[in-house]
Amino acid sequence: MQSMLRIGKRMILGTPKFLELSMTYLYTYALLQYNMIHAHDTFKLEYDTIVSHLDSLPKDDLRNFLGYCEAWALSIELHHTSEEDIVFPFLNQKMNFSEEKAQHELIHANLDRILSLIVAAKADPTKFDSCALRDIMNDFKETLYTHLDEEVKHISASNLKTAQFEERDVKAMVERLETYAKSHGDPFLLVPFMRSHTPAAIKDTWPSMPWIVRKVVVPYVLAKKHSGYWKYSPYSMS
């Protein structure tokens, strides 16, 4: 069961245990984990959605389905790149994220295989092998989900506090991470992916963005370019 907590101007959604941590420690220390929880949830949600369609492949809409799959894989790639460029170098000053880095390598080996299948199928849809994609997805699900869950635990507010990171330094790192996310990747692909996998309960607060962007730019500008992809998404764009 999830509940809501207001910290300043931001509403936090999470389990009672997570909200207790947010109340116990300064909000700054909890922010990295809070953002990561919701980002990881979007990846799990699309994984499940993709797998659910592989048994009844939408052959008459294959290009859009492949684009949807591609958005998922590229979103994870950018997410991990941002961690390796911003988060890990900072946290490795006082903690050890070598295991997470190794997990990234295993995950990306599988994502590369998935993206190769997608690129080939987009060039020639008759070559798409749904069984091959299903096998890859099944083979690395445990690796992916274990990584997503363990990483969230490792970056908890309590761990950051125990490592004696200064609040101002954590805040600066989170700000650099947000800037990185906004300046890298294809906004016409990655932003609609994220928004259409964010549940209504937190859609107005996560990720933080102006009302005009949430309600107008994303649904009526960014999402239009690949509008066919998002029919497979579980949630509305705005």
Side-chain angles (χ1 to χ4, degrees):
M1 183 178 69
Q2 294 191 323
S3 305
M4 298 292 290
L5 167 71
R6 180 182 294 276
I7 301 181
K9 295 182 178 180
R10 193 184 295 260
M11 293 297 295
I12 302 297
L13 173 72
T15 63
K17 183 176 180 180
F18 176 73
L19 296 183
E20 181 181 357
L21 280 174
S22 298
M23 295 172 66
T24 303
Y25 298 104
L26 292 172
Y27 171 66
T28 299
Y29 289 97
L31 183 56
L32 179 63
Q33 186 188 50
Y34 171 74
N35 287 335
M36 204 71 73
I37 285 171
H38 293 307
H40 288 189
D41 283 348
T42 67
F43 302 145
K44 291 179 181 179
L45 184 56
E46 186 167 356
Y47 175 98
D48 292 340
T49 303
I50 290 171
V51 171
S52 72
H53 281 90
L54 291 177
D55 289 328
S56 55
L57 194 67
K59 295 181 179 180
D60 58 343
D61 194 44
L62 186 58
R63 289 188 182 277
N64 283 324
F65 177 68
L66 291 172
Y68 178 75
C69 297
E70 185 177 36
W72 171 75
L74 293 177
S75 293
I76 296 177
E77 284 196 340
L78 178 62
H79 177 75
H80 283 176
T81 300
S82 70
E83 290 178 338
E84 293 174 10
D85 288 354
I86 305 295
V87 181
F88 293 172
F90 173 79
L91 296 179
N92 278 332
Q93 296 176 88
K94 300 182 179 183
M95 300 171 70
N96 184 358
F97 279 78
S98 58
E99 183 174 349
E100 283 83 357
K101 180 64 167 61
Q103 290 171 337
H104 280 191
E105 293 173 1
L106 291 174
I107 291 167
H108 283 264
N110 286 284
L111 291 178
D112 287 345
R113 295 168 63 197
I114 290 170
L115 287 169
S116 293
L117 283 174
I118 292 171
V119 170
K122 289 176 75 173
D124 183 357
T126 63
K127 293 183 177 180
F128 180 58
D129 187 344
S130 61
C131 293
L133 178 57
R134 184 190 299 106
D135 288 344
I136 298 171
M137 298 289 281
N138 289 338
D139 286 346
F140 92 118
K141 178 179 182 179
E142 183 176 355
T143 299
L144 175 64
Y145 277 51
T146 297
H147 166 71
L148 296 176
D149 293 340
E150 289 182 351
E151 186 176 70
V152 162
K153 294 177 183 177
H154 199 180
I155 60 172
S156 68
S158 58
N159 285 342
L160 298 187
K161 292 274 287 183
T162 298
Q164 298 184 339
F165 283 105
E166 295 290 338
E167 180 188 0
R168 64 177 181 274
D169 295 332
V170 174
K171 181 179 180 181
M173 180 271 291
V174 171
E175 290 175 349
R176 291 196 303 274
L177 182 61
E178 291 178 350
T179 299
Y180 187 104
K182 293 174 182 177
S183 60
H184 289 73
D186 181 356
F188 293 93
L189 191 69
L190 304 183
V191 177
F193 158 78
M194 173 187 62
R195 293 297 291 166
S196 62
H197 291 78
T198 301
I202 62 170
K203 221 175 189 72
D204 287 342
T205 57
W206 186 88
S208 179
M209 61 178 63
W211 180 92
I212 191 71
V213 176
R214 293 199 314 269
K215 299 297 186 181
V216 179
V217 176
V218 175
Y220 298 109
V221 179
L222 298 182
K224 288 297 182 182
K225 184 175 182 179
H226 303 296
S227 59
Y229 297 1
W230 316 123
K231 69 182 69 172
Y232 298 100
S233 298
Y235 302 123
S236 66
M237 198 61 64
S238 62

